[in-house]
Structures are given as structure tokens and as C-alpha cells.
Amino acid sequence: MPDLPLTVWIVVAGVLGLIVGSFLNVVILRLPVQLEAFWQREARDILGLEQPDEPLPPGIVREGSHCPHCKHPLAAHDNIPLFGWLLLRGRCRYCQTRISIQYPLIELLTGILSAIVIWKFGPTLAGLAGLFFTWVLVASSGIDFRTQLLPDQLTLPLLWAGLLLSLLHLFVQPSASILAAAIGYLSLWSVYWLFKLLTGKEGMGFGDFKLLAALGAWMGPMSLLPVILLSSLIGALVGGALIALRKHGREVPMPFGPFLAMAGWVWFVAGDQLAHAYMSFTGLR
């Protein structure tokens, strides 16, 4: 890496995060639609039914950005991360339909989180790995929040990346990575079946098991309990706030993946500091 001040690398990471965030918006919106179309076609093949004569959903990379309402292709200057939305004042240039606030929020969030990762780990291999970790969590959270789906196409690469990086002793040892992945998966798997046996309902999805396994593979077994507790706390606070504001009914299920991802990312960048603060507060250290 060129010998540049850390501040420069942080700014570069932030700008890169804005650009990647624009791409993550495409992933969040298009991947679930593609998966649904694939599953429907696969089911028709299994049942021996004729496939419908309709075009496939737009691809993630090949098809350019366009307005979801009028389908008009967007100009390059309209696609500038964050600033394009601001310049358009949140409306399509061609049909004046409102553009979802999701676009600038995801771009801004990805930019900020990317800058924090490089501030924490520097322009190193750990920093690059942390960027990948962050971007996958942002995309997974966005999809789960919108569709209550955590695709294997995101959680499994994250899991394998954590296991393979442990061979480089980057964050944890291989044995700790493997053990944490197994414990992470089995812990939520056990909770899922216990809850289902007691209530007859499904409390969470299988994607949550895989996401916690992936987080364990990156951070080791000592991270699992704090991540679960922190994600439960975040979920309770967000759910309570939504219910209090009457924007979410008590009977309406909420995705757990975004809270897991939030807690996992926080522990990834600040776990040591949080653990030290907790032990100092409780007098254990």
C-alpha cells in the first residue's frame, strides 16, 4: 500500500463505500426478485408445468439503472451516489415519481461504515476483509428488512470467507473459527425448534442460523453471546419503538437478521473496547 496518511485512506474508504452502497442498492432490490423467479421456474420444472412466456427479472450487473415506475434509463449524473438523489430532490427526472429514501440511506450508511472499518484496521488485509464483511452485512440486512429473507448467496460466502481467513490467523485461529461457526448455527437452530415445539410457530428463519454462524467464523466463539444479547437488545428497542409509535403491530413478525448484523458489526469493530468497558463497570477488572 502507498505510504499515505491514515486520514486519506479513511476518506478513500468513505468514497468507495458510497459507490459500493449504490451497487448494494441494486443487490437489495434485484436479488430477491431474481431468486423468486428462479424458484418459480424450478418448481414448474419439478411439477412438469409449462414455463410462462415472460421476460426474466433484470440482472444485477448487466441491466443499467432505471426508474422503477416509468422504466426510463437513468443518466450517469443521476447515478452519482448520494448526490444524485439530492440533486433530483428525491424525484425521478422524467416522471416525477418519488425515489425511495432507501437509496441515499444505504449509500451513506455504507460510506460511513467503510470509513470506520479503515479507521479501525487501517489500509491492511484486515481492513480489506473488514470492508467485505461490512458490505455483505449491509446487503443482507437490507434484503431481510424488505423481504424477511436472508439469501444463501450472501450468508454462505460470508461464512466461507470467515473460515478461510482464519487460515491466515487474521482475526481468529482456525479452530476457534470452526467451533464458533458450529456453535452459532446450532444455538439458534436449537432455539428455533424449541420455540416451534412450544408454540407451533416459527420464531426465526434458517438464514439467521447461517448469519450467526458466519459471524462466529469471523470473530470466534467468545463473540457469540455478546452478539446475541446485543442483537436482542437492539431488536427489543426497535420493536418497542415501532409498537409505541403504532407503526408496527404486535402480531406482525420482524426480521431478526438486521439486528444480528448490527450487533455483529459493532462487536467486530469495537468488541474489545465494549468488553473492557463492561468489565470496568462491573468491577471484574
Side-chain angles (χ1 to χ4, degrees), residues 6-258:
L6 179 59
T7 304
V8 174
W9 286 112
I10 293 173
V11 173
V12 170
V15 174
L16 177 62
L18 289 175
I19 297 171
V20 173
S22 181
F23 173 72
L24 295 183
N25 270 316
V26 177
V27 175
I28 291 169
L29 294 172
R30 296 187 183 181
L31 181 57
V33 179
Q34 284 189 332
L35 291 175
E36 183 179 357
F38 172 77
W39 293 331
Q40 289 177 349
R41 287 177 175 267
E42 189 176 43
R44 285 180 172 273
D45 282 338
I46 294 173
L47 297 173
L49 301 176
E50 183 179 353
Q51 296 291 349
D53 186 17
E54 58 185 29
L56 292 173
I60 294 176
V61 177
R62 293 183 180 179
E63 285 80 358
S65 298
H66 57 270
C67 172
H69 182 72
C70 68
K71 309 301 181 184
H72 196 290
L74 300 183
H77 53 274
D78 292 335
N79 269 325
I80 300 174
L82 186 59
F83 297 102
W85 187 90
L86 293 174
L87 292 174
L88 291 172
R89 297 182 180 180
R91 290 185 179 274
C92 173
R93 182 185 300 276
Y94 308 98
C95 68
Q96 295 303 306
T97 300
R98 285 191 178 276
I99 303 173
S100 173
I101 191 68
Q102 171 192 311
Y103 293 96
L105 287 182
I106 292 294
E107 291 164 356
L108 182 61
L109 176 65
T110 309
I112 293 174
L113 298 185
S114 299
I116 292 174
V117 166
I118 295 303
W119 170 75
K120 169 71 176 181
F121 297 104
T124 62
L125 180 58
L128 291 176
L131 290 178
F132 171 78
F133 179 82
T134 300
W135 297 341
V136 174
L137 289 183
V138 171
S140 301
S141 299
I143 291 175
D144 197 22
F145 182 79
R146 288 175 58 90
T147 66
Q148 296 191 14
L149 170 71
L150 277 173
D152 288 349
Q153 287 78 0
L154 295 176
T155 56
L156 294 185
L158 187 66
L159 169 61
W160 283 109
L163 293 172
L164 291 173
L165 286 172
S166 72
L167 298 176
L168 302 177
H169 303 254
L170 201 59
F171 301 111
V172 293
Q173 301 293 320
S175 58
S177 180
I178 296 170
L179 180 62
I183 294 175
Y185 186 92
L186 291 175
S187 59
L188 290 189
W189 178 87
S190 302
V191 172
Y192 166 87
W193 282 109
L194 179 61
F195 184 82
K196 189 171 184 179
L197 289 173
L198 293 176
T199 67
K201 302 177 182 179
E202 295 184 356
M204 63 183 68
F206 278 60
D208 298 321
F209 314 162
K210 299 167 190 175
L211 179 57
L212 185 58
L215 296 176
W218 279 75
M219 298 183 287
M222 298 303 293
S223 68
L224 293 175
L225 182 58
V227 166
I228 291 176
L229 293 176
L230 187 57
S231 61
S232 300
L233 176 61
I234 296 172
L237 292 175
V238 173
L242 291 175
I243 292 173
L245 295 173
R246 297 184 178 180
K247 292 185 177 181
H248 201 279
R250 295 178 181 273
E251 71 285 351
V252 179
M254 291 184 62
F256 188 52

Side-chain angles (χ1 to χ4, degrees), residues 251-271:
E251 71 285 351
V252 179
M254 291 184 62
F256 188 52
F259 306 130
L260 269 179
M262 291 179 203
W265 187 87
V266 168
W267 199 259
F268 181 71
V269 299

